[in-house]
Amino acid sequence: MNHAVYGFIAGFRNRQKLASILRASPRDRETHAISPEALKQSGVTVLALDFDGVLAPHGRPEPVAEITEWLANCCTVFGPDRIYILSNKPTRERIDWFNSRFPGMRFISGVRKKPYPDGLDKVIEQAAATPAEVILLDDRLLTGVLATCLAGTRVAYINRPYTDFRNNPVQELFFAALRTVERILIALVPDKK
Ligand SMILES: [Mg+2]
């Protein structure tokens, strides 16, 4: 099944979980403001990172400068072999960038796209971790965040993603609209009594 169609079906089934994640998420959460030390203290031992929006604006071949610094800090705290890139677009350029800058970090590829939990399941298996030790940072509710509901891992919903409307207006507008629509839909889910 196409991953977007699957997202709507699985999203509907998991609407209550998604709504509570959305409600519990801090406003204006940016990737680089997340403290790796605090994550570690809360019991996280494995980081799974989305790329588009979380490490860089859409379609960029490499993370932005402040994220390169943040990644280095994550490496110190968790070790590079405990950090995975889980993008629906694991392009050659991106993989090459990580191989040269952070050779220990691994791209998860060859799996069905998020929201299928396959990528997170692969992270759990490769890291020999429990789902509760893994956190995914993602800026999309109906792909990444939903995948965490299905795989049982933790999640940090990045609601203030990197964007570059000036250089990539069509793609950025498309994804901004998607993010808004999914936020509105999920915010409409009533609180469980
Ligand atoms: Mg993303």
Side-chain angles (χ1 to χ4, degrees):
M1 195 189 295
N2 173 283
H3 72 117
V5 177
Y6 175 78
F8 274 99
I9 297 168
F12 184 75
R13 288 199 186 123
N14 288 273
R15 61 191 182 280
Q16 215 65 255
K17 264 191 209 167
L18 288 169
S20 55
I21 291 167
L22 179 61
R23 282 178 192 129
S25 296
R27 275 174 165 267
D28 297 329
R29 190 190 242 166
E30 297 177 284
T31 310
H32 69 94
I34 292 179
S35 150
E37 290 86 0
L39 288 181
K40 189 160 196 189
Q41 272 173 13
S42 74
V44 169
T45 70
V46 179
L47 289 186
L49 307 170
D50 175 40
F51 196 105
D52 293 282
V54 169
L55 304 182
H58 256 276
R60 288 273 186 89
E62 56 191 56
V64 297
E66 66 188 6
I67 285 296
T68 308
E69 238 174 83
W70 179 84
L71 284 169
N73 193 10
C74 291
C75 257
T76 312
V77 174
F78 293 98
D81 58 325
R82 305 293 282 175
I83 302 171
Y84 294 83
I85 311 301
L86 185 54
S87 166
N88 279 352
K89 289 171 197 149
T91 65
R92 190 70 254 163
E93 280 172 305
R94 291 174 174 183
I95 294 170
D96 288 346
W97 188 88
F98 272 89
N99 283 343
S100 72
R101 296 299 297 269
F102 297 103
M105 293 187 193
R106 279 167 283 182
F107 259 83
I108 295 292
S109 57
V111 291
R112 289 187 298 176
K113 292 180 175 190
K114 295 173 282 187
Y116 283 104
D118 306 28
L120 282 170
D121 289 343
K122 199 166 171 181
V123 168
I124 292 163
E125 188 194 313
Q126 283 199 9
T130 64
E133 288 174 74
V134 178
I135 191 165
L136 172 70
L137 274 58
D138 207 293
D139 63 326
R140 288 287 316 282
L141 288 167
L142 287 181
T143 60
V145 177
L146 178 55
T148 68
C149 296
L150 299 167
T153 67
R154 302 192 204 192
V155 65
Y157 174 47
I158 305 297
N159 45 20
R160 185 116 178 252
Y162 288 106
T163 54
D164 182 3
F165 285 94
R166 192 191 299 218
N167 290 307
N168 194 6
V170 176
Q171 224 190 3
E172 290 288 9
L173 273 172
F174 174 74
F175 283 102
L178 266 187
R179 290 185 192 108
T180 305
V181 167
E182 63 187 11
R183 260 204 296 267
I184 291 171
L185 286 177
I186 290 160
L188 286 173
V189 176
D191 260 331
K192 214 174 185 174
K193 295 279 167 341

